[in-house]
Amino acid sequence: MNILIKGGRVLDPSRNLDADLDVLIEDGRVSQVGEKLKARGGETLDAAGLVVCPGFIDLHTHLREPGREDKETIATGTRSAAAGGFTAVCAMPNTEPVNDSAGITRAILERAAAEGVVRVWPIGAITKGSKGQELAEFGDLREAGCVAVSDDGRPVASSRMMRRALEYAKAFDLTVIDHCEEPGLTEGFAMNEGPVATWLGLRGYPPVAETIVVERDIHLAEITGGKVHIAHLSTAGAVDAVRRGKARGVRVTAEATPHHLLLTDQLVRDTEYDTSTKMNPPLRGDADRQAVVAGLADGTIDCIATDHAPHSVDDKKVEYDQAANGIVGLETAVALCLDRLVRPGLLELRQLVAALSTHPARVLGLPGGTLKPGSPGDVTVLDLERRFKVNPERFESKGRNTPFGSWQLTGRAVATIVGGRVAFQAR
Ligand SMILES: [Zn+2]
């Protein structure tokens, strides 16, 4: 697969590169980055006025296949990823059945090879069935192709189990992706605990229920030498815990989602209980939100991840406290961050690109995240001036559950190239 991407501003945080250059991809790999390159067969993509980045990698995607193909499939989920500018997604294991064994991992990879339009990196479960009782076979999962382990969707409630998971994962050089929630404090929650929940009479999830487990697992990573990655971090306390953990050399990394960076629990009231504002962790108060933005800007938070969680209409068109948690994110994440973080100057473009490409690759040791010659020919092309109105009816994803419907945004991914092949191009 050959393609010449001509005349763009090449922004590659892995090499501190920001210059007007051409990128040549040959046989699916980056072969040259330089001036006035000549195509040797294959396509040419005119990138004048556009930004050419290492392909974006989403560390946190729920593809729902196997088992819930009514919500999403590997085919629709990866098309959604490409449309949003992602060249790779890490697939969370809370499918039906849970991806807790090599056979399921291989089946996911086979389906992805046949029907996926972007790369799919499976994540295996920490415990069998993600039930928190018995560790899965990490060696088998690793060998079958899993790039990390997680019981995402559920916390690992037992400290003893998490300690053993970190030790066991270390033996296979796997990162533990941690859904941090103290279940004793969150039972039956519908939204963030605080004045808005009190006003609405909904049961709350207090921010400390996240912070406690982030603190616990950073301490456990410290004594085991294991690697922990904090998923969808949403509280000021968690940002502080990660910052202190990093300062003393613990192997901890973290991600935040666009919705926790941009929205607050006030939206639950303002939308009159629109269930597309319901997720786990819930939208927080503004002090927490601002702390998460600050943590991203100062490098405490390494990555932006979508937590793309498609649901059927039936799962969402119910009473607020009964509704399924989660929103779709693959087709809105990049545009939201460009419009609401980079344009107002809260984050530099270089930082955003790093948080979506170089850092996620580094966190899990994935190929990509760089345009260095020899690396995979995965490229995301951005148009910073392209106007874009979020229209859920036109999503490639089967999910329509987003609180960002009708948002008018400026800036988006206009081309997604995977292994030298154009997986998506905006018209
Ligand atoms: Zn989660």
Side-chain angles (χ1 to χ4, degrees):
M1 293 295 181
N2 295 2
I3 186 166
L4 175 65
I5 305 162
K6 215 168 168 47
R9 171 185 170 194
V10 175
L11 212 176
D12 180 358
S14 77
R15 296 195 294 158
N16 251 323
L17 185 65
D18 187 352
D20 291 341
L21 295 167
D22 301 339
V23 176
L24 182 62
I25 297 172
E26 292 179 299
D27 300 325
R29 298 200 158 258
V30 178
S31 64
Q32 287 183 70
V33 178
E35 286 175 25
K36 299 198 176 84
L37 299 181
K38 290 263 181 308
R40 290 180 285 224
E43 279 183 76
T44 299
L45 191 142
D46 179 11
L50 306 177
V51 183
V52 178
C53 313
F56 292 170
I57 300 167
D58 185 25
L59 289 181
H60 198 137
T61 300
H62 297 277
L63 288 175
R64 305 296 189 208
E65 189 175 3
R68 290 310 303 264
E69 291 83 355
D70 57 321
K71 296 184 188 229
E72 194 80 287
T73 64
I74 288 169
T76 59
T78 57
R79 281 208 300 276
S80 176
F86 291 94
T87 58
V89 296
C90 298
M92 281 296 177
N94 63 338
T95 44
E96 295 173 19
V98 168
N99 181 14
D100 60 2
S101 68
I104 298 166
T105 304
R106 281 193 217 101
I108 291 169
L109 284 169
E110 275 164 27
R111 184 56 65 92
E115 295 180 5
V117 299
V118 306
R119 296 179 203 275
V120 174
W121 303 110
I123 297 168
I126 296 173
T127 61
K128 292 188 178 157
S130 286
K131 291 191 172 119
Q133 304 297 319
E134 197 184 339
L135 288 176
E137 297 290 348
F138 291 0
D140 290 355
L141 289 170
R142 174 66 145 178
E143 198 166 298
C146 285
V147 295
V149 289
S150 183
D151 275 354
D152 184 61
R154 295 180 181 189
V156 176
S158 154
S159 307
R160 190 173 69 95
M161 186 61 71
M162 182 52 87
R163 178 184 187 168
R164 288 180 52 215
L166 283 160
E167 280 167 350
Y168 192 36
K170 187 187 167 195
F172 298 101
D173 195 30
L174 284 167
T175 301
V176 175
I177 301 180
D178 198 358
H179 173 115
C180 295
E181 175 184 349
E182 168 46 58
L185 292 173
T186 64
E187 210 187 330
F189 83 90
M191 64 178 295
N192 182 47
E193 183 176 293
V196 185
T198 306
W199 177 267
L200 298 176
L202 289 171
R203 190 130 21 130
Y205 172 157
V208 292
E210 173 175 299
T211 308
I212 288 168
V213 180
V214 174
E215 287 280 8
R216 180 196 78 175
D217 293 345
I218 290 173
H219 283 285
L220 292 175
E222 188 167 25
I223 60 163
T224 56
K227 279 192 291 187
V228 67
H229 175 75
I230 311 299
H232 45 50
L233 177 158
S234 70
T235 64
V239 176
D240 182 50
V242 171
R243 193 180 282 131
R244 284 182 285 107
K246 284 187 167 183
R248 58 180 202 274
V250 182
R251 300 168 85 194
V252 55
T253 52
E255 71 190 28
T257 69
H259 46 279
H260 292 115
L261 288 160
L262 302 179
L263 304 176
T264 67
D265 57 2
Q266 187 63 41
L267 192 65
V268 182
R269 188 175 165 183
D270 293 348
T271 60
E272 293 175 349
Y273 311 95
D274 182 340
T275 56
S276 71
T277 62
K278 187 164 187 262
M279 64 280 287
N280 181 2
L283 298 175
R284 301 295 186 183
D286 201 49
D288 281 314
R289 185 194 67 81
Q290 287 189 37
V292 176
V293 173
L296 180 65
D298 74 16
T300 302
I301 297 168
D302 305 82
C303 306
I304 293 169
T306 69
D307 197 1
H308 177 83
H311 286 294
S312 61
V313 173
D314 291 347
D315 289 320
K316 282 291 196 181
K317 265 218 160 84
V318 290
E319 288 294 305
Y320 196 85
D321 56 356
Q322 299 299 314
N325 285 312
I327 63 169
V328 288
L330 288 168
E331 288 168 75
T332 50
V334 172
L336 285 167
C337 292
L338 285 170
D339 187 82
R340 301 295 161 117
L341 296 176
V342 175
R343 278 185 97 79
L346 296 168
L347 200 66
E348 289 171 35
L349 180 61
R350 176 188 56 82
Q351 290 180 296
L352 176 68
V353 173
L356 288 164
S357 62
T358 307
H359 293 172
R362 205 174 280 163
V363 163
L364 295 189
L366 303 174
T370 178
L371 295 175
K372 194 171 146 210
S375 44
D378 297 358
V379 176
T380 298
V381 182
L382 305 176
D383 182 343
L384 305 183
E385 303 303 328
R386 178 75 74 102
R387 286 173 62 77
F388 167 61
K389 187 176 180 187
V390 179
N391 181 357
E393 295 307 316
R394 299 188 62 181
F395 282 166
E396 296 286 346
S397 170
K398 289 190 181 183
R400 301 284 179 265
N401 46 311
T402 173
F404 299 110
S406 302
W407 280 40
Q408 190 74 54
L409 304 170
T410 301
R412 62 165 296 169
V414 290
T416 308
I417 295 159
V418 182
R421 196 180 60 81
V422 178
F424 166 78
Q425 195 163 5
R427 279 167 292 158

